[in-house]
Amino acid sequence: MEKRQSPQFREMGLVVLMLLCLSTTMPTSVSIQQEGGGAEELVSSQPRKWQDRVIEVKGGPESVVWIVQLSDLHFSVHHPERALDFKKIVGPALKMINPSLVLITGDLTDGKSKDLLTMKQNEDEWVEYQDVMEDVARRSGLDKSIFYDLRGNHDNFGVPIIGGSFDFFSNYSINGQFGRKGNVNSVTLETSDRKHVFVGLDSTMSTGLRGPTNLFGHPTDQLLSQIDSQLSQWDSQKGKSITKISFGHFPLSFSAFSESQKSLRDVFLKHSVSAYLCGHLHTRFGKNLKRHHQSNEKFLSSHRFFQLNMHQEPSENTQNCLYQAPPLKEFWEWEMGDWRKSRAMRIVAVDRGHVSYLDIDFKSGTKKTIVLPTFPLDSRFMLTSSLHQMYGCQHMVPFSFETIRCLVFSVSPITSVVARIYDTRSGSPLMIVETTMTKFVRDISRGDIYAAAWNYKAFEDPSPDRFWLQIEVIDVMGRSTLSELRPFSVNGLSAKISWTWKEFFVMGCQWAALYYPIFCSAVYLMLSILLIPKFVLMFSKKQYSYKTFISEKGLINCIAWVLLDLCRIHVVWFGFLGYLIYLVSCPWLIGQVFTDGGNRGYMTSMGWWVKNFNSREKHDYIGSPDIMVVVLPHFFFVVVPSILVAGALAAERGIYKEHFLSLSGKKEDNDSSQKNKRSGKYDNHRHRRSKFDFVERWIRKVLLVVCLVICWKHFTNCKALAKAYEMNPLLHFPVYSLAIPLLLACTVYKTRSIQ
């Protein structure tokens, strides 16, 4: 039989209940401790403000923090091996590395069909991403809250509105699960002597179009203001030095300007961030997708459009050694490889303010040992003018130059770590220093850092790549691991690295600024090709023809002859002019731009017009400059070649006419009496003419092949667009799809004979 509670127990229960209720309204603090020391965070019991988070890093080594970056995972239902390899490799790797943060900088899912032509959201891929990240967090032993993931353009394909039914990122991503809803999230890793501020940004379209016209980042003035605020959050506090790092998906070369024509570059330079970590480009364009940005008072207008070299030249070489002089405004942009094909992971370390990184390739499988030198820095990709000034002015961080240091991550105990320095002045590497490195031992350790004392002043040299460093690590199993041989310069000089043309194409060109100048140049070029010869034909007394070119050879006469012959085929000339006016002023396509396929949008040369889901109004040209991937290839690989080939066909007809008349002996001033003499030779002449048509008009045959190539290229583009935006070419873009083939066919027909 159940006992009845006494009044005293009931009163005690009420008191406990009141205390519990009271405790929920009072600020309390809890700590989240990573395995092996890790990071401790003071978290208010009030709703978490993820946009401004502080993690106190506990355990040794106190002078170093390190994080891991992953990017462009592209989990796909058509390529399950990407998620399987991620689950197999990344969890154990993170357990070995034990980072304080894990940053995943966009393109978490692929969002593409098997033929790669249709690009929209697939919920199955997001479910897979969520499951894989749960498994990775569990196997790594890391607190899941230290994972930060961002949207990439693939994660935004066909998403009409953030928070809508097709915004799977908000439901399945780690940021979404922790309520990090803002486009800007910052986290500060705080040690005993330094704050390390990491600011993540989401600059994807607010209205996500389907690909391929969803390629650029679109920062707004509001986003730039938020980034500025987060980067300056500790500036007013004194005492601890601050290292600032930002991370996002899009490189700055693929980031548009805001409404007020400001850019991410302006904000990063204002705060002199150490680095901007990004993805998006993968490794198919090259492995040196890095870029150094520096504020230049003598800013050239060309720098707004492109940067020729990886290292931007400083505006002046003078050093300002005044106490508390403002630092030089500069930063590094480091695009990393992709997981999609390269299976790449990056470790970024900050050692007493010196930022270094190591890109790891897991295509060959897991790694037993990883070595990341943290000082001296690689003079190709990591040094800045600030370090050169700091060294020249002797404003060095105490002890930061006095040891060679490296982080070692291994699944097995380490028995030996040796640093070797090579001198390459003679042309071949000559080892001049070999020293054993010792481990810093702490009671609570997040990882192992090794150091060796050296006389850094002995390595001062005007050449930034004379001395090279390599570190060898041997574990208890006898396995040897070598770090990459890298140049260094203790006096802060940068070794110059040149881009390949593909690396310059994607990193050195500011495509958002280049689109409209290129577009206008293409339009002016085509108008000039069509209109100038027409005016010459109408108002000039001089007749440009094949005869004129033969008698007065020259480039101008050649161009004038070819283009004037095109003007004489009126239906073709007016057809090209009308088509060009149509492309500039009218919609090209009417396609499905969102995942659900509800409303159709209209694509023009200025962007897409689509209905706003929040109102009946239309957006003004969203997706610009993203539409350049459709507009510019059509102009330069279809329209311009078609006009030139049409002119060449017209000119070839003139050549054929003159050649035929010379062979047949037919002259305009022949006497009528010659007609009877020639009539007896009619059959022989017809035979010669047919032979000439078949053998001698080889130029025309080549031009016909070029016409077929242009049409093939055009129909390939039309097929891709029809699949991408679910269109019928005859219904949704008839002028775009049919005009060029019809104009070329008409040109071929009109130039088939001399009549």
Side-chain angles (χ1 to χ4, degrees):
M1 190 172 177
E2 189 180 47
K3 280 189 176 181
R4 185 181 298 272
Q5 289 183 342
S6 66
Q8 290 83 357
F9 281 108
R10 289 199 299 270
E11 291 177 2
M12 186 179 296
L14 290 173
V15 171
V16 171
L17 182 62
M18 291 175 62
L19 288 174
L20 287 174
C21 293
L22 183 61
S23 66
T24 60
T25 63
M26 295 176 63
T28 60
S29 65
V30 297
S31 65
I32 299 175
Q33 184 74 33
Q34 286 181 225
E35 289 186 1
E40 184 176 275
E41 179 185 11
L42 297 181
V43 183
S44 171
S45 62
Q46 296 175 350
R48 184 188 299 273
K49 188 179 179 182
W50 289 106
Q51 289 79 3
D52 189 9
R53 184 184 179 199
V54 179
I55 298 177
E56 187 176 356
V57 179
K58 296 294 186 180
E62 293 85 356
S63 61
V64 188
V65 298
W66 59 93
I67 61 101
V68 162
Q69 180 192 4
L70 294 149
S71 192
D72 296 87
L73 313 186
H74 289 270
F75 287 175
S76 170
V77 294
H78 308 294
H79 298 277
E81 71 280 359
R82 298 173 188 171
L84 291 174
D85 288 348
F86 195 89
K87 184 186 298 185
K88 175 184 175 182
I89 295 173
V90 174
L94 291 178
K95 184 174 184 180
M96 179 176 71
I97 298 169
N98 191 29
S100 297
L101 287 176
V102 179
L103 312 178
I104 308 175
T105 52
D107 282 357
L108 315 179
T109 62
D110 198 42
K112 284 188 175 184
S113 60
K114 192 171 184 178
D115 60 6
L116 307 180
L117 296 180
T118 304
M119 307 175 208
K120 58 183 180 179
Q121 297 305 299
N122 187 325
E123 190 170 9
D124 292 337
E125 294 176 350
W126 284 100
V127 172
E128 181 179 48
Y129 172 76
Q130 184 184 48
D131 294 342
V132 169
M133 294 311 300
E134 290 286 349
D135 183 82
V136 166
R138 177 182 56 81
R139 297 180 68 181
S140 67
L142 300 175
D143 191 290
K144 190 179 174 183
S145 67
I146 70 169
F147 287 73
Y148 281 74
D149 49 13
L150 298 172
R151 282 186 185 87
N153 57 312
H154 283 248
D155 309 316
N156 199 36
F157 281 159
V159 179
I161 186 171
I162 301 301
S165 58
F166 291 98
D167 179 23
F168 298 129
F169 178 89
S170 296
N171 297 327
Y172 295 102
S173 69
I174 296 175
N175 273 13
Q177 293 170 36
F178 280 98
R180 304 166 187 159
K181 301 295 185 181
N183 290 331
V184 178
N185 288 280
S186 76
V187 55
T188 301
L189 301 179
E190 185 170 6
T191 62
S192 58
D193 61 350
R194 182 174 290 271
K195 286 184 171 71
H196 309 81
V197 182
F198 293 84
V199 178
L201 59 102
D202 175 6
S203 61
T204 55
M205 293 181 179
S206 58
T207 301
L209 301 172
R210 289 191 190 187
T213 55
N214 186 341
L215 187 65
F216 282 72
H218 292 263
T220 62
D221 285 327
Q222 181 183 5
L223 179 73
L224 296 180
S225 177
Q226 291 174 352
I227 297 170
D228 182 33
S229 175
Q230 292 299 318
L231 286 173
S232 61
Q233 60 182 298
W234 302 110
D235 289 355
S236 60
Q237 297 187 15
K238 306 298 182 181
K240 291 186 177 181
S241 300
I242 303 172
T243 298
K244 301 176 182 180
I245 294 176
S246 188
F247 59 98
H249 178 66
F250 299 96
L252 301 187
S253 55
F254 281 82
S255 294
F257 295 97
S258 69
E259 301 89 336
S260 61
Q261 294 301 303
K262 295 180 180 178
S263 68
L264 290 169
R265 181 180 184 271
D266 300 330
V267 179
F268 295 157
L269 282 174
K270 175 183 177 181
H271 294 278
S272 293
V273 299
S274 296
Y276 171 57
L277 311 176
C278 58
H280 188 52
L281 295 179
H282 303 199
T283 55
R284 65 178 176 269
F285 295 105
K287 294 188 176 181
N288 291 328
L289 301 181
K290 290 91 179 174
R291 182 177 174 184
H292 179 248
H293 300 262
Q294 184 166 332
S295 179
N296 194 334
E297 294 179 359
K298 300 176 182 178
F299 188 77
L300 301 177
S301 59
S302 61
H303 290 169
R304 177 180 173 85
F305 301 104
F306 53 82
Q307 180 175 313
L308 295 177
N309 299 306
M310 181 186 301
H311 296 81
Q312 184 173 333
E313 295 297 331
S315 57
E316 53 185 11
N317 295 322
T318 57
Q319 293 181 350
N320 186 356
C321 294
L322 297 176
Y323 180 67
Q324 291 185 343
L328 296 174
K329 295 181 178 180
E330 59 181 336
F331 69 94
W332 270 102
E333 178 184 2
W334 293 331
E335 202 274 355
M336 74 162 293
D338 58 283
W339 180 265
R340 177 177 177 262
K341 286 188 176 180
S342 303
R343 301 295 190 264
M345 173 189 285
R346 171 177 288 169
I347 306 175
V348 180
V350 185
D351 182 355
R352 299 171 184 171
H354 303 299
V355 184
S356 56
Y357 71 90
L358 174 68
D359 288 339
I360 308 165
D361 183 353
F362 283 107
K363 282 190 293 186
S364 58
T366 58
K367 307 295 181 184
K368 302 296 183 183
T369 302
I370 298 172
V371 186
L372 170 55
T374 61
F375 194 84
L377 299 176
D378 189 327
S379 59
R380 298 168 299 180
F381 307 124
M382 302 171 191
L383 287 184
T384 62
S385 301
S386 300
L387 183 64
H388 179 55
Q389 175 171 319
M390 182 173 64
Y391 187 88
C393 298
Q394 299 299 309
H395 292 165
M396 293 178 293
V397 179
F399 309 114
S400 65
F401 279 57
E402 295 180 356
T403 54
I404 302 171
R405 299 182 295 279
C406 73
L407 286 167
V408 178
F409 311 103
S410 180
V411 296
S412 302
I414 301 301
T415 59
S416 172
V417 179
V418 176
R420 299 184 180 95
I421 297 177
Y422 297 86
D423 188 348
T424 61
R425 182 171 58 176
S426 62
S428 58
L430 176 64
M431 188 175 67
I432 57 176
V433 172
E434 183 176 32
T435 181
T436 300
M437 305 181 73
T438 57
K439 176 182 174 181
F440 280 100
V441 180
R442 295 291 185 271
D443 294 336
I444 301 176
S445 177
R446 294 174 288 116
D448 297 335
I449 186 168
Y450 289 78
W454 68 327
N455 179 16
Y456 65 90
K457 293 185 178 180
F459 297 95
E460 293 181 1
D461 195 85
S463 172
D465 55 2
R466 174 183 172 183
F467 299 109
W468 293 65
L469 172 68
Q470 188 172 51
I471 296 173
E472 181 182 19
V473 176
I474 301 175
D475 65 13
V476 72
M477 304 295 293
R479 292 181 294 240
S480 174
T481 302
L482 292 172
S483 69
E484 179 191 11
L485 191 64
R486 57 170 63 178
F488 67 89
S489 172
V490 295
N491 39 321
L493 300 175
S494 296
K496 305 303 180 185
I497 300 293
S498 297
W499 279 321
T500 64
W501 72 268
K502 288 195 296 184
E503 291 167 345
F504 165 74
F505 187 77
V506 295
M507 287 296 290
C509 298
Q510 195 66 40
W511 288 107
L514 284 170
Y515 170 57
Y516 286 113
I518 295 175
F519 171 80
C520 293
S521 299
V523 172
Y524 291 149
L525 172 65
M526 289 182 284
L527 285 175
S528 300
I529 291 174
L530 293 173
L531 295 179
I532 293 177
K534 194 69 171 178
F535 288 132
V536 171
L537 187 65
M538 294 171 60
F539 301 109
S540 176
K541 295 181 179 180
K542 184 176 181 180
Q543 295 296 317
Y544 292 92
S545 63
Y546 179 62
K547 285 183 178 180
T548 308
F549 174 67
I550 292 300
S551 60
E552 302 178 17
K553 289 184 173 63
L555 180 62
I556 300 298
N557 286 333
C558 178
I559 295 174
W561 152 52
V562 171
L563 297 181
L564 283 171
D565 276 2
L566 175 62
C567 294
R568 294 185 178 102
I569 308 177
H570 299 292
V571 63
V572 175
W573 185 87
F574 279 107
F576 276 115
L577 181 62
Y579 184 57
L580 180 57
I581 294 173
Y582 171 84
L583 292 179
V584 172
S585 59
C586 298
W588 292 26
L589 318 169
I590 305 174
Q592 304 281 6
V593 292
F594 299 130
T595 297
D596 60 355
N599 296 322
R600 288 187 176 272
Y602 301 86
M603 197 203 88
T604 72
S605 58
M606 298 297 166
W608 283 90
W609 278 16
V610 295
K611 286 187 178 180
N612 192 331
F613 275 64
N614 296 325
S615 68
R616 289 294 179 182
E617 298 179 359
K618 290 187 175 182
H619 291 285
D620 289 332
Y621 298 123
I622 67 172
S624 179
D626 307 70
I627 44 97
M628 69 184 293
V629 298
V630 175
V631 173
L632 296 186
H634 185 63
F635 275 176
F636 289 107
F637 299 130
V638 177
V639 182
V640 172
S642 297
I643 296 175
L644 297 178
V645 169
L649 282 168
E652 189 275 341
R653 184 183 66 166
I655 298 175
Y656 168 57
K657 179 178 180 179
E658 292 297 326
H659 195 181
F660 172 75
L661 293 176
S662 65
L663 287 177
S664 63
K666 182 178 180 181
K667 305 296 182 181
E668 294 181 358
D669 59 345
N670 281 350
D671 296 329
S672 60
S673 61
Q674 292 179 326
K675 293 181 180 179
N676 295 329
K677 187 183 296 184
R678 191 175 297 114
S679 61
K681 301 179 181 179
Y682 175 77
D683 292 336
N684 183 43
H685 163 63
R686 187 173 61 178
H687 172 73
R688 284 195 301 160
R689 177 176 176 178
S690 63
K691 181 179 178 182
F692 178 78
D693 283 343
F694 182 75
V695 178
E696 297 299 334
R697 297 193 73 178
W698 62 269
I699 297 178
R700 178 178 174 83
K701 295 179 177 63
V702 172
L703 293 175
L704 292 179
V705 172
V706 175
C707 288
L708 291 176
V709 171
I710 293 173
C711 289
W712 173 82
K713 171 66 176 174
H714 179 57
F715 284 131
T716 301
N717 294 341
C718 291
K719 177 185 175 182
L721 290 172
K723 287 278 290 183
Y725 300 109
E726 299 180 23
M727 298 182 295
N728 184 321
L730 298 180
L731 295 178
H732 299 120
F733 57 117
V735 178
Y736 173 88
S737 60
L738 298 178
I740 289 296
L742 291 177
L743 287 170
L744 290 178
C746 183
T747 306
V748 171
Y749 177 78
K750 289 289 186 179
T751 58
R752 74 192 188 284
S753 66
I754 63 175
Q755 299 300 325

